[in-house]
Amino acid sequence: DQQVKQNSPSLSVQEGRISILNCDYTNSMFDYFLWYKKYPAEGPTFLISISSIKDKNEDGRFTVFLNKSAKHLSLHIVPSQPGDSAVYFCAASEYGGATNKLIFGTGTLLAVQP
Amino acid sequence: KAGVTQTPRYLIKTRGQQVTLSCSPISGHRSVSWYQQTPGQGLQFLFEYFSETQRNKGNFPGRFSGRQFSNSRSEMNVSTLELGDSALYLCASSRVGVYNSPLHFGNGTRLTVT
């Protein structure tokens, strides 16, 4: 039972354009959400997070949107750069982020074309 | 500041054997969690330790176990290895929980079971 779903295995975007990565969840108890980026042969690195009390969080080129009623979140990267090419994982926590038990999606491979 | 260190980077074992993986968290981080990454399943939570106590456990069989030492270093053990245990095992650390500090991942141990 996949509680966090990333339905697009891959996404290709032109440099300078917007990248939109999507994530859906089924567990209504999730109240803290995160995005991680992963390069090959490296561990995931934290990008941005959002609490369920907010609907948007912004950090530089990265913005995460949360739609609780639709159980959907998205990561916007503007403008996209070739160095953003990586696998992006969406993750969720039930405990307000008080622990490190995260439920991850299966990832979306982003390719930013120069 | 040194990152999360996992040893060894690569392991090849035979079915039925057991294996121990090691993780040294970032200095000052008291929480260590373990994840299994496989191509089809993404990252799956194994367990989390905080101050030497298991705080959370994922849905893995009892063959998977872990522990944390007083210096916060952690080990995980897999007994009676099966072919399906072949995966990248990732260790992550943080101070308390993801809300206060993001999870920092190591580069993982690649386990191959033949």
Side-chain angles (χ1 to χ4, degrees):
Chain A
D1 174 29
Q2 196 73 26
Q3 298 184 68
V4 178
K5 300 177 186 178
Q6 294 177 258
N7 293 318
S8 298
S10 63
L11 175 69
S12 182
V13 171
Q14 287 295 120
E15 181 178 4
R17 306 294 292 269
I18 184 172
S19 295
I20 301 176
L21 297 102
N22 294 304
C23 178
D24 297 296
Y25 61 96
T26 57
N27 188 342
S28 57
M29 298 299 291
F30 289 148
D31 55 9
Y32 197 78
F33 304 89
L34 309 91
W35 284 93
Y36 280 82
K37 176 171 74 173
K38 187 178 185 301
Y39 294 117
E42 294 183 12
T45 54
F46 170 74
L47 272 176
I48 192 169
S49 63
I50 187 168
S51 165
S52 60
I53 62 173
K54 295 184 176 181
D55 53 20
K56 177 183 173 181
N57 190 26
E58 199 170 348
D59 184 0
R61 296 187 297 115
F62 302 92
T63 303
V64 57
F65 295 92
L66 175 62
N67 182 334
K68 288 186 290 296
S69 60
K71 295 191 177 66
H72 176 84
L73 66 157
S74 61
L75 175 69
H76 293 211
I77 306 173
V78 183
S80 300
Q81 300 172 353
D84 295 330
S85 298
V87 177
Y88 288 77
F89 290 97
C90 166
S93 167
E94 277 187 59
Y95 309 109
T99 75
N100 291 313
K101 179 181 179 181
L102 296 180
I103 307 302
F104 281 85
T106 50
T108 296
L109 175 62
L110 174 66
V112 180
Q113 310 296 335
Chain B
K1 199 174 188 181
V4 177
T5 305
Q6 291 188 246
T7 55
R9 286 298 307 272
Y10 302 94
L11 263 179
I12 300 175
K13 290 286 187 179
T14 304
R15 266 182 306 175
Q17 288 186 313
Q18 77 163 20
V19 66
T20 299
L21 312 182
S22 181
C23 173
S24 293
I26 291 172
S27 177
H29 285 190
R30 295 166 64 190
S31 168
V32 173
S33 48
W34 289 87
Y35 289 82
Q36 180 196 65
Q37 185 184 11
T38 55
Q41 299 293 320
L43 280 81
Q44 293 188 284
F45 174 78
L46 279 155
F47 27 66
E48 178 196 7
Y49 287 87
F50 183 80
S51 294
E52 301 179 67
T53 301
Q54 190 178 83
R55 184 158 72 169
N56 280 298
K57 190 176 189 312
N59 295 325
F60 279 81
R63 300 186 296 107
F64 292 81
S65 62
R67 58 178 176 168
Q68 186 181 31
F69 302 97
S70 58
N71 61 0
S72 292
R73 193 177 68 84
S74 177
E75 289 181 346
M76 69 163 280
N77 186 76
V78 188
S79 62
T80 320
L81 283 165
E82 300 177 0
L83 294 179
D85 297 333
S86 295
L88 180 67
Y89 289 88
L90 291 158
C91 170
S93 74
S94 79
R95 287 195 191 90
V96 178
V98 291
Y99 180 79
N100 304 91
S101 66
L103 270 182
H104 295 265
F105 281 87
N107 289 335
T109 294
R110 172 74 62 185
L111 172 64
T112 302
V113 182
T114 62

